[in-house]
Amino acid sequence: MYVDAHMTDEQLALQQLAHEFAKDVIRPVAMDLDHNPDPAKSAYMDSILREADKVGLRTMALPEQYGGGGVDSLFTQCVVGEELGWGDRGVVGMLLSASKIAHLLMSDLATQEQRDKWLQAYAADPTFLITQAMTEDDTGSENLLPYEGVDGGFRTRAVREGDCYIVNGGKRFISNSGYAKLNFVYVRTDPSKGILEGVTLLMVPLDTPGLRFGRVHDKMGYRLNLNREMIFEDARVPVANRLGPENYGIININKHLRGGDGLINAAAMVGLARAAYEASVEYAETRVASGKAIVHHQAIGLKLVEMYTMIQAARSYVWQAARAVDAREKVPMDWKMPGSASYFAHEAACEVTRAAMEIHGGMGVMRELPVEMYLRNAYNMLHSDGGIIMKKLKVMKHLEMQAHAGNGAGMRVAY
């Protein structure tokens, strides 16, 4: 673990708790789960969730008044996310789940009745997770920039009939789908308008009539996080389950949220890279070639230096961005930073895991060691959370706005 001199006693304790949890609970089962050929059985779900609930990690980000840990600091969540990512990249979805429901329901979008019902339910059920369902067959990252033409964006349609919405359509690549007890689903309620004005956010419980689940996606990595299709066939969702006004639009919805939560994913990538680096150091110290441990071969030693440097740089940038988000009410926020830090951490993890595979030589591609799993997990995440290109495009959009405004360091594009 990397300890920062400015971390509080609480942050240090949570970091240690997450590290021990990763070492004792996640790592002993991660490779077996990853190697299961059935993607539905690779996902960690019940076993790890129940253990995480016992120590408070599953509900860490929930408000205290609803039975959670009350840890709202993005920096603290990133510190914990790195340790969980060191255990296995997929398990960090558990932390994101609690953070997202907390910010969605504690925002001005939600009513007090909605907060009381769902946050209490989340805290009480040790296997409760959520989904945030955006991606569809014909629309994905264009929802994040976003594209505002009426021909683009979400096609999943919701039509109001009395006190219910009738929902038809489908989503794919959705984390925790078919398992999560509550689904936050973006639907098109006005097809004559683009997603800036014609989109509504609905809370759809797992047992909603007309909701069923399709195939589980068989991914090359990130296998301890389940992704599955959602299918809506005249699904009936009560109007009471709507978050915010009808046709509020994706930008208006996102304005109510904290922003920067993708940094939790970025911190997990640092943890993943760290796991690959540590495995490489251990291997290089014990593998002997040409009369000495390969750690003493210059080619290997220089590669380890590069890996170490990239990890330190990525962590520092992620932590700096997370602290800036936490302090945004006191200091003007440069909203280029979270996306920039996030894409850098993702690319750093890919570089580090690739180097780890090279250091391991022939053993690097063998499934009996975790290195090939680390590489698959790292490269899989280039296509998650909007994808690495979309992260860069968001930063570019901030740069364009800043240039147009003449300054704009504190401006935020709400997507």
Side-chain angles (χ1 to χ4, degrees), residues 1 3 7-21 55 57 60 76 79-80 83:
M1 296 185 302
V3 175
M7 290 168 64
T8 66
D9 290 342
E10 179 189 27
Q11 289 164 342
L12 290 169
L14 285 170
Q15 182 188 43
Q16 185 64 42
L17 173 65
H19 182 78
E20 294 299 321
F21 183 83
V55 298
L57 287 173
M60 183 188 84
T76 306
V79 169
V80 171
E83 299 309 316

Side-chain angles (χ1 to χ4, degrees), residues 341-352:
S342 181
Y343 98 73
F344 180 76
H346 280 72
E347 292 195 338
C350 289
E351 290 298 315
V352 169

